[in-house]
Amino acid sequence: QKFTSIKNDYCLTFSHLSEITQTEDDTNISKNVFHFTKLSEVSNIGAGKIIDLIGVVTSVGDVNSISLKDGRQKDKIDYEIADNSIDGGMRVTVSIWGTKATSKKFSVGQIIAIKDLKISTFKGVSLNGGDNSFLCDATQLKLKESSELQSWYRTAKDHVNDINSLTEGNQASGTPSLRNVRLIKEIEENSNDDLATDPTVRYYINARVELVRNDSKMVYMACPSCKKKMTEEDTSASTYRCEKCGMSTSNPVPTYIITVKFTDGTGSIWTRIYGDNALPIMGNTKPEEVHKMFANDSEESNVEIRNFLNSLNFKEFSVMVKPSINSYNGQESLNYHGSNVKTYKPEKATISFSKD
């Protein structure tokens, strides 16, 4: 159940030897079975988990076309949905992506049920649904939850803005709680699907450095104004020019752009990290010092670089990882960028021993 939204204790697996025969539907198996989660419980479940929700629509946004990293466009509509899981109620932003964003539109005051929403904890708690989600008018299901919500909303609708918001009241502080941390194996398996429903998805990992790639371009000269990469225009005068803002200077800012391989025991992931985010991983060594090592092209300097990079291995960090899909020569690749890098200090565990 760790890597699936199916809540059953057992599952059937088919192989190429399986024989499947179509039969008449006797209607004894329900097409859509809901297992509703109350909004008061969502924060304790964790990012990436799948839930079902029933609630009342308190606001409806416009349908917007979102540009994805791979160049595709995907429709999105935001609903704000509330329930009565705590005194005074609780609400959350629910984003519906893809064809489901336009196939059916609900209105304020309507009680709706949604199956298969994914929890996101980036910039507060929110829920995301896509083409695999099922949305319906909950009053048609004749559930007791629908009647309770209708009764509650009749008195709550006049003070909707006073209802506690999971999305607005839980903005990310930069320090992830344990429930937001993902295994690298989970990230590798879910990144493509997560990006399809939420292009802004972020993950947190607690992992150790397996390797910092030895690259002479791991430090570049950045523009003091716009931070973009500068090109050397006069080697004799050591002046650099920024193509974006047109600035020329002899005092560019040495800036890190490192590629790090992280591992956590379930898998490994290559991550690109920029600027000051790289400092903790580089042992707080300033980028200009590393630049000088590479500038001195000698065997002694090469040994110094290798020894320095090897000394960075096996240190543990908490990192926020953002996946993206890039296209090159018609081929798509999944890339990861890291930020919010902090030294990982696992909480101490107390172990009791019994004596015979």
Side-chain angles (χ1 to χ4, degrees):
Q1 294 182 0
K2 187 172 185 179
F3 301 108
T4 179
S5 62
I6 298 174
K7 297 177 175 60
N8 300 331
D9 292 329
Y10 303 95
C11 69
L12 299 175
T13 302
F14 297 96
S15 72
H16 64 286
L17 298 176
S18 303
E19 294 184 6
I20 302 175
T21 304
Q22 184 175 354
T23 186
E24 293 294 326
D25 187 356
D26 61 7
T27 69
N28 286 331
I29 300 177
S30 301
K31 290 185 178 180
N32 288 292
V33 178
F34 291 92
H35 300 279
F36 295 122
T37 297
K38 297 181 181 297
L39 287 181
S40 59
E41 301 169 351
V42 170
S43 293
N44 298 319
I45 295 175
K49 301 301 182 183
I50 304 296
I51 65 167
D52 301 340
L53 178 69
I54 185 171
V56 58
V57 178
T58 58
S59 73
V60 182
D62 296 326
V63 176
N64 294 307
S65 183
I66 307 298
S67 298
L68 305 182
K69 287 286 186 179
D70 59 5
R72 292 181 297 133
Q73 298 285 320
K74 179 163 283 196
D75 289 332
K76 185 189 83 158
I77 186 171
D78 287 338
Y79 291 98
E80 195 172 64
I81 296 177
D83 73 6
N84 59 340
S85 55
I86 64 169
D87 290 339
M90 184 164 282
R91 56 194 169 103
V92 70
T93 297
V94 177
S95 299
I96 304 299
W97 297 79
T99 58
K100 294 293 176 70
T102 55
S103 61
K104 185 180 294 185
K105 191 170 183 178
F106 298 96
S107 57
V108 171
Q110 200 166 358
I111 311 296
I112 64 173
I114 310 176
K115 186 171 184 62
D116 290 348
L117 288 170
K118 181 169 287 189
I119 300 173
S120 170
T121 54
F122 176 66
K123 291 186 177 179
V125 176
S126 60
L127 304 174
N128 289 276
D131 291 335
N132 292 329
S133 301
F134 175 75
L135 300 83
C136 70
D137 183 340
T139 57
Q140 298 177 357
L141 301 177
K142 298 180 179 180
L143 303 171
K144 68 173 184 177
E145 289 93 342
S146 299
S147 300
E148 292 173 356
L149 284 166
Q150 282 181 320
S151 177
W152 169 75
Y153 185 66
R154 277 195 289 269
T155 58
K157 64 182 179 180
D158 294 330
H159 53 86
V160 166
N161 292 333
D162 296 329
I163 298 175
N164 292 320
S165 172
L166 280 171
T167 306
E168 297 171 3
N170 292 274
Q171 298 297 313
S173 64
T175 302
S177 64
L178 289 177
R179 63 175 176 269
N180 294 339
V181 176
R182 306 291 293 276
L183 298 174
I184 289 176
K185 178 181 175 66
E186 292 180 280
I187 294 174
E188 291 178 319
E189 292 178 346
N190 296 318
S191 288
N192 281 305
D193 290 340
D194 288 350
L195 282 170
T197 57
D198 181 8
T200 66
V201 66
R202 307 288 199 281
Y203 308 108
Y204 282 103
I205 60 172
N206 291 332
R208 67 179 180 273
V209 174
E210 184 175 330
L211 181 69
V212 177
R213 180 173 289 166
N214 190 337
D215 186 353
S216 61
K217 297 179 180 179
M218 69 193 312
V219 177
Y220 69 94
M221 298 298 110
C223 176
S225 176
C226 68
K227 311 303 181 185
K228 295 296 183 181
K229 184 179 180 180
M230 306 188 81
T231 55
E232 195 170 15
E233 62 178 358
D234 188 343
T235 56
S236 61
S238 296
T239 58
Y240 292 79
R241 178 176 175 79
C242 177
E243 298 298 332
K244 181 180 180 182
C245 62
M247 173 185 283
S248 292
T249 179
S250 58
N251 296 302
V253 181
T255 305
Y256 278 126
I257 176 172
I258 65 174
T259 304
V260 186
K261 188 178 185 180
F262 289 105
T263 183
D264 68 357
T266 69
S268 299
I269 188 173
W270 285 100
T271 307
R272 183 68 63 87
I273 301 178
Y274 298 88
D276 291 344
N277 284 300
L279 279 172
I281 294 172
M282 300 299 288
N284 289 317
T285 303
K286 294 181 179 180
E288 47 263 47
E289 296 179 34
V290 175
H291 181 65
K292 289 178 182 178
M293 293 185 198
F294 281 103
N296 184 9
D297 188 14
S298 65
E299 182 57 33
E300 181 180 348
S301 180
N302 291 336
V303 172
E304 181 185 10
I305 292 169
R306 286 197 299 270
N307 290 339
F308 169 68
L309 294 179
N310 286 337
S311 72
L312 306 175
N313 296 339
F314 310 116
K315 307 284 179 60
E316 292 188 281
F317 297 94
S318 172
V319 186
M320 187 173 77
V321 177
K322 180 185 183 303
S324 63
I325 297 176
N326 293 342
S327 297
Y328 182 74
N329 287 338
Q331 298 293 320
E332 291 187 347
S333 62
L334 188 61
N335 300 306
Y336 298 94
H337 294 85
S339 61
N340 288 14
V341 180
K342 302 178 186 298
T343 300
Y344 176 54
K345 297 178 180 179
E347 296 180 3
K348 294 182 179 179
T350 302
I351 303 176
S352 299
F353 295 92
S354 62
K355 296 181 180 180
D356 293 334

